[in-house]
Amino acid sequence: QVQLVESGGGLVQPGGSLRLSCIASGNLGGLAWMGWYRQAPGKQRELVAIRTSGGDTHYGDSVKDRFTISRDNSGNTVSLQMSLQMNSLEIDDTADYFCNAVVRNTNYWGQGTQVTVSS
């Protein structure tokens, strides 16, 4: 079993920055990737960014060049921390952000953290 806990959401003005963190714990052997998705009210959940176990990163088109996903510690098979640095935030970035991990072909989700971009 894998647990994901997010933190770092909040209210920020347009053009501002926020940093989200996700701590994964449990049996992480066979981790394929970790990343972030978001869901705005009335919209489908969409990819924000993922980082594979090999270090490759992939970003949604709307956040490229503004957001950066990174691994915060060396990690091991029972604990790993990943962050999402969000810069130049826009009103359209307002959403619930969910940490995601795929471990041994099973999809795991965090409970979500809310990001609101508003003046």
Side-chain angles (χ1 to χ4, degrees), residues 50-89:
I50 62 170
R51 184 185 185 279
T52 71
S53 58
D56 294 330
T57 56
H58 304 276
Y59 294 90
D61 288 340
S62 62
V63 306
K64 282 179 184 176
D65 301 323
R66 299 189 297 122
F67 291 10
T68 303
I69 189 170
S70 61
R71 190 156 134 173
D72 295 336
N73 57 5
S74 59
N76 52 47
T77 58
V78 295
S79 179
L80 187 153
Q81 182 167 331
M82 187 161 291
S83 292
L84 181 70
Q85 178 66 40
M86 306 186 294
N87 297 327
S88 303
L89 282 160

Side-chain angles (χ1 to χ4, degrees), residues 6 24 38 48 74 90-91 96 100 105 114:
E6 305 104 331
R38 69 186 182 186
V48 177
S74 59
E90 302 169 355
I91 290 176
D96 291 324
N100 169 255
N105 296 318
Q114 189 172 57

Side-chain angles (χ1 to χ4, degrees), residues 6-25:
E6 305 104 331
S7 61
L11 172 65
V12 64
Q13 291 186 339
S17 298
L18 275 177
R19 187 177 182 89
L20 305 182
S21 291
C22 176
I23 297 177
S25 60

